[in-house]
Every structure is written in structure tokens, then in C-alpha cells.
Amino acid sequence: MANKVYVSGHKNPDTDSICSAIAYANLVNQLKKYDAKPVRLGNVSLETQYVLDTFKVQAPELLKTVRQTVADLKFDRVVKFTSDFTLKTAWDLMKAKSLKTAPIVDKNATLLGILSSTSLIEGYMGGWNANILAESKTPVENIIEVLEAKCLYRNNDDTYYGELQIGSMSSAEMKKRIQEKDIVLVGGDRRSAIEVCIQNKAGLIVLTGNLPLSQELAKQIREANITTILTPYNTYMASQIIVQAIPVSHVMDTDNITCVHVEDSIDQVKEVMTETRYHNYPVLDVNNKVLGTLSRYDVIVDEKKQIIQVDHNERGQAVDGIEEAEILEVIDHHRVADFATMSPLYFRGEPVGCTATIVAKMYHENGVEITKEMAGLMLGAIISDTLLFKSPTCTPVDEQMARELANIAGVKIEDFGMDMFRAGTSLKGKTVSEILNADYKPFKFGDSKVGVGQVNSMDIDGFLPLKEEMLAYMNEKVEKDGLDFIMLLVTDIINANSEVFVAGKEQLVEQAFNCQLVDHQATLPGVISRKKQVVPVITALY
């Protein structure tokens, strides 16, 4: 299967939005059509949670955006380069992974600097002098490692700071040049050169060519307490390789390092890359720890996230960043609004009361057995959206499917429905923000925008103490979002009525619904469906 496909309901999800996402993702996975994952775009309501708990199904993961971020890219999660690496080790790793640059980190993966092939080449081409090993405080262990050397004698002094010399001249000339603590490369068994090193108190003697050392000279070296190593490389090769023992901490760049973070959007990264000219960029996690490196090529080949939308098709109700994603399918029972895609897709819209009704039909059409858990979720969605078959949006298909699902789930529809509504309609302890936004949808009509929220309650009188605070909050939202008005429907499920509260241009609501608002409030007899009895009326008004 290809990449993960997200199955998502709308923002401020209701029971249908979440349960249909779970049920349809399950169907898609059963058919091995995609690797589908149900997600939610907001908090789970008390009603929805009751349904999930009843059938022991976990709520989907929250998805905040489908905008591409660095975390979505297949960047190189490189082996961590630590500051004590030798240049040879770092260079070998960079070649193996075709890296132009590498992040250098401490033991906690915190970024210390950047090692670039450019800085290495510049050093070899004249940037380093005979003091380079001293300046970089290169430990003898590094020198032994890169020269593949054998230690003949080791003193307890770990500092070998001095110039790098090659003992190839006459003894007299060597006596003039070799200073205390110098590192001297000696061509194998050159006795006179070794004796000068001993006399002048060299810091480290490197014998090349793997030639044996006489017992007498070995004794003199021990008595002089000079660390001496033996390498199989000849003098020329040893002189070239020994500088690769320098720790990368001496060569790495530490100023003006340009990094990217895993949460950065692709657009942000492209802007950074436009303003700089690096081949690779360190990638940091949320704790500023190094995860790897991102190349320009990685950004060029990024793939869009794929999504299936259920129970909505309007852009304003979709996940943030939907314009950057690829929509594969839409399963919905609402009007088709401002919907356009870059490529063809599977679109299934039916004039039924609930998306879960369509999903259940698709189980049958594809010969996939509906489990007790999936039946319970889809039943809860149908009961919620049709208000236990009292909503004018309810069709005979919804009711027939609900009764079939109830048999599979092993519950009585009326009892389960009333328990579900009781769990979901309690307003106790909720803030006005939570009440309005629990099931709130924005709608756009040309240049005008309105908002319609709905909350089901079996105790409308219990809402009235919150009225003043709610209207103040709604007025703030009207101003902030540039809306003509906001309607909040507090729907009495049992008596099939809604009490409407309005902020903004009240005259538009009065005109549309032929009602008289008193203190920003009116009763709408028989109005219980936002989709069929509210949105079409507002649409006709505009």
C-alpha cells in the first residue's frame, strides 16, 4: 500500500463526523484500498464519547493540519557526528552517505556546528600549517586510529603540542629544527633521527613503514619517556593521513548556522533555501535536538498528504491546509458548496439523513461484514443526525439501516438513543465557548458570511442563565470573524422545537424565518435540522 490516507470529518465534529470516519476507514482497510487512518478535527462531544465508550472504540487521533511540514519529508536521518570524531571518520561517513555537510552534535544531540566538505578541502589546500595538530589539541588516540598504528610505548602525558616534523634531514639539521614536544615522523629504522628525537625531547615519535625498532633504541625511548607508535604507512602517506586525526570540533563552522525544524512548513523551508545557498540543512526536533539533514532535493520531491472527507465538502469545514492536500474521496449527505479539486476523485453524495447511512450501504455493496463495534458507531451517528428519526432530514433508508445496525449491535434503538442524548445534552460545567463551538459551522454566501451553531438539550430552561454571557461571546465572534450574524439553535429533541439566539444583524434572521426576536431570542416551532430547515432558508435569503 501507498502512504497513509487520513479519513476526516469536519471541524467541530459531531457524532456522525467521527463515527463515519472510523467506520469508513475500517471499510477501506478491509478492502485493502488504502492504508487508511481515521482522524478528528476537534474535541469529542459528550454524546460521541458515550457512543465510543458503549462500544469500546477509541476516539481518533487529533489532526491539526495537512500542510506539508519537514516531518513529512524523507530527509536523511544521518548517523550523528560527534565533536570528537576524527576528520577521517567524518569524511568516510560523508562519502558513504553522499553528504556535502554534516551536523556536529554533543552527547545529547544538541547542535554544536557544521562540518562541510568545503572547509576540509580548504584546509588541505593551504589553510593548515605545521602547528595544526597542536592548535587542534589532537589526542594521540586519534593519531593511532587514523594511522592504524601500534603503540610501542606510551607515557602518561596526553598532550603532544608542537609542530609536525619529518625527520628526513641530517642529524645536525634535525638538532636545529626539532623542538621539545614536537611530533616527528621518522622513516622506519633511521637510528640517528630517533636519537635526535630522544635528545631534543620530542613529544611523539611516529615510525613509518612498519620497520622493527632495536631493543636498544626501544629502551632509550622508554627511559626518555617519549610516546612512540609504529604505522604500516610509508613516510609520505603518513604525512598526508596524520592531519586527518584532527577532531572535527576544530574544523566545524559554528557561526550563522541555518537550521530547519520538523514543524516548519514546506513553504517556510523553501523561503529559507531561497535566501541561502547551502546543500544541506540540519533538522531539529521540538527540543532543538538534531534529527538529521535536509537537502534541496528532499524538498523538490515532497509528496502531498492524502485525505478522504466524510460528512462535509466545504473548504471552511475541512482540515487546515486542505488546499495543499490531495482529496481522494468525499462521502457526504450535505449540499455541494465551494468544492473544487486539482484531480478527479470519487464523490458520493446522497440525500439521506446521515453519512453513516451511506457508509453502511457501502459495507453491503462491497460484501464486507459489519462488526458489532462498527454497527454501534454507525447507529449512534444515524440516531444523532436524525434526532431519533424526528428530523425532517430523516429518510426511510436511514430508519431501515438504523434498525438493521441495532440488531447487529445488540441494542434497543429508543433506549440507546435516549441514553445517548442524555449524555450529550448536559450543559453542566460547560463554558459558552464550548457550547457554541461544539457543533458550529460557518457558511459563506458571496461576500457575506454567517455562523450557525446548534446544541441539543433536553432542558432548554437550564440554558437561560447562560444567555447573557453567550450573547456577549457571540457578538465578539461576529466582530472578530466579520460575520453578518451568528445563530445558536438550542434544540429540544423531545418536543421538536428550537430556541434561537442571535448576535449581529437580527433583522436578517427575522426576515428569513418570519419571526420576531425579543431580547435577541425567538422560538422556531418544528425546526430541529440545521441542514434542512436553517441553511436552505438563509441561502434563499441571500
Side-chain angles (χ1 to χ4, degrees):
M1 280 188 251
N3 295 334
K4 183 78 68 179
V5 174
Y6 297 107
V7 182
S8 163
H10 51 72
K11 290 180 178 178
N12 302 316
D14 57 12
T15 301
D16 186 24
S17 182
I18 286 182
C19 291
S20 287
I22 297 172
Y24 192 64
N26 178 69
L27 174 61
V28 167
N29 287 330
Q30 292 292 321
L31 296 173
K32 297 185 174 9
K33 193 174 181 181
Y34 306 112
D35 181 12
K37 177 180 180 178
V39 293
R40 58 185 171 90
L41 305 187
N43 295 328
V44 177
S45 71
L46 293 175
E47 176 188 282
T48 307
Q49 193 62 56
Y50 176 82
V51 176
L52 295 173
D53 290 344
T54 299
F55 296 99
K56 296 180 174 57
V57 177
Q58 282 201 329
E61 182 180 313
L62 177 66
L63 182 67
K64 295 182 179 179
T65 180
V66 287
R67 287 190 177 90
Q68 286 287 79
T69 65
V70 173
D72 300 312
L73 300 179
K74 296 177 182 177
F75 63 87
D76 190 1
R77 286 170 166 77
V78 297
V79 175
K80 301 297 187 300
F81 286 56
T82 57
S83 58
D84 59 352
F85 271 21
T86 65
L87 295 188
K88 184 178 188 305
T89 300
W91 179 251
D92 289 344
L93 279 171
M94 289 173 71
K95 285 196 300 182
K97 292 187 170 288
S98 302
L99 296 175
K100 297 290 185 182
T101 60
I104 309 302
V105 301
D106 64 14
K107 62 182 180 180
N108 297 315
T110 300
L111 184 67
L112 299 176
I114 295 292
L115 180 67
S116 67
S117 56
T118 302
S119 60
L120 290 175
I121 293 170
E122 287 176 349
Y124 267 106
M125 295 302 289
W128 298 333
N129 55 38
N131 286 314
I132 184 62
L133 293 173
E135 292 172 357
S136 60
K137 296 181 172 56
T138 300
V140 71
E141 288 83 5
N142 287 20
I143 297 173
I144 293 171
E145 176 187 334
V146 300
L147 291 178
E148 301 175 21
K150 175 183 177 182
C151 188
L152 301 181
Y153 176 76
R154 174 76 185 275
N155 65 22
N156 295 322
D157 186 359
D158 284 336
T159 56
Y160 302 96
Y161 303 148
E163 288 192 359
L164 176 61
Q165 305 276 4
I166 297 178
S168 59
M169 69 268 314
S170 67
S171 296
E173 190 64 29
M174 280 188 63
K175 287 179 182 179
K176 297 177 186 177
R177 294 175 180 260
I178 303 299
Q179 304 294 318
E180 187 175 350
K181 292 294 184 182
D182 278 354
I183 301 171
V184 186
L185 273 64
V186 177
D189 56 356
R190 289 173 57 92
R191 181 185 182 91
S192 59
I194 296 172
E195 288 176 339
V196 171
C197 291
I198 294 171
Q199 292 168 13
N200 288 25
K201 299 180 180 179
L204 171 67
I205 301 173
V206 180
L207 304 178
T208 63
N210 252 356
L211 295 175
L213 185 68
S214 69
Q215 291 185 359
E216 180 186 349
L217 282 176
K219 180 181 177 183
Q220 291 181 40
I221 286 170
R222 288 194 299 272
E223 290 174 350
N225 197 30
I226 299 174
T227 297
T228 303
I229 63 176
L230 179 64
T231 175
Y233 291 108
N234 62 35
T235 305
Y236 169 75
M237 290 298 296
S239 67
Q240 295 293 306
I241 294 171
I242 193 170
V243 292
Q244 296 180 22
I246 297 169
V248 295
S249 57
H250 184 71
V251 181
M252 67 185 183
D253 298 319
T254 57
D255 297 328
N256 302 318
I257 300 173
T258 303
C259 302
V260 298
H261 289 76
V262 288
E263 294 183 333
D264 288 346
S265 70
I266 301 305
D267 287 341
Q268 289 175 308
V269 172
K270 287 179 178 177
E271 185 176 342
V272 169
M273 290 183 170
T274 300
E275 296 172 352
T276 55
R277 288 292 180 267
Y278 304 120
H279 293 284
N280 303 88
Y281 298 79
V283 178
L284 309 182
D285 66 12
V286 293
N287 298 312
N288 288 325
K289 305 300 183 184
V290 176
L291 294 177
T293 58
L294 180 71
S295 71
R296 292 176 177 272
Y297 176 77
D298 294 330
V299 176
I300 293 172
V301 299
D302 68 293
E303 299 176 352
K304 292 180 180 294
K305 291 182 180 177
Q306 297 177 313
I307 193 161
I308 294 173
Q309 294 184 177
V310 298
D311 198 33
H312 72 296
N313 65 75
E314 296 191 44
R315 285 295 170 94
Q317 297 173 17
V319 62
D320 289 346
I322 190 65
E323 65 281 354
E324 297 180 19
E326 179 184 5
I327 302 174
L328 300 178
E329 299 182 15
V330 174
I331 314 296
D332 195 14
H333 69 126
H334 295 94
R335 67 170 190 159
V336 179
D338 56 343
F339 186 75
T341 60
M342 294 295 292
S343 56
L345 77 163
Y346 178 82
F347 191 109
R348 181 158 178 170
E350 295 189 23
V352 291
C354 181
T355 303
T357 300
I358 306 172
V359 175
K361 288 173 65 177
M362 295 175 76
Y363 270 84
H364 290 326
E365 292 163 4
N366 288 280
V368 176
E369 180 183 356
I370 300 176
T371 64
K372 177 180 179 179
E373 291 76 17
M374 293 302 107
L377 296 190
M378 289 188 282
L379 172 64
I382 295 172
I383 291 174
S384 177
D385 261 22
T386 65
L387 299 178
L388 203 51
F389 315 133
K390 293 179 181 179
S391 171
T393 62
C394 184
T395 69
V397 177
D398 294 298
E399 190 165 354
Q400 178 186 345
M401 189 61 71
R403 301 204 180 282
E404 178 185 325
L405 294 170
N407 287 333
I408 298 172
V411 297
K412 293 181 179 179
I413 290 181
E414 287 72 18
D415 292 345
F416 175 64
M418 293 305 294
D419 289 343
M420 190 178 84
F421 288 141
R422 286 191 190 93
T425 60
S426 173
L427 302 179
K428 186 177 181 180
K430 288 187 177 181
T431 65
V432 292
S433 172
E434 290 170 338
I435 293 170
L436 178 66
N437 293 311
D439 189 8
Y440 172 86
K441 293 183 180 181
F443 297 93
K444 189 172 183 179
F445 304 95
D447 295 331
S448 299
K449 294 185 294 184
V450 305
V452 182
Q454 184 172 26
V455 58
N456 295 328
S457 177
M458 300 174 78
D459 179 21
I460 290 180
D461 289 339
F463 170 79
L464 294 179
L466 297 172
K467 176 181 173 179
E468 185 176 342
E469 185 183 355
M470 175 61 77
L471 287 169
Y473 174 73
M474 289 165 62
N475 277 301
E476 286 179 14
K477 195 172 182 67
V478 165
E479 185 70 24
K480 178 184 175 183
D481 296 345
L483 305 174
D484 280 0
F485 61 82
I486 288 178
M487 295 175 60
L488 172 62
L489 300 168
V490 181
T491 301
D492 184 339
I493 305 166
I494 304 302
N495 297 312
N497 290 318
S498 287
E499 201 71 14
V500 62
F501 300 86
V502 182
K505 298 178 181 178
E506 296 186 1
Q507 69 274 16
L508 294 177
V509 175
E510 291 178 328
Q511 180 183 343
F513 292 91
N514 192 26
C515 66
Q516 181 69 45
L517 291 169
V518 178
D519 193 21
H520 319 290
Q521 176 183 349
T523 301
L524 300 181
V527 174
I528 58 176
S529 170
R530 173 174 50 195
K531 183 182 75 171
K532 200 160 186 176
Q533 296 174 294
V534 176
V535 175
V537 175
I538 298 173
T539 303
L541 172 72
Y542 279 96

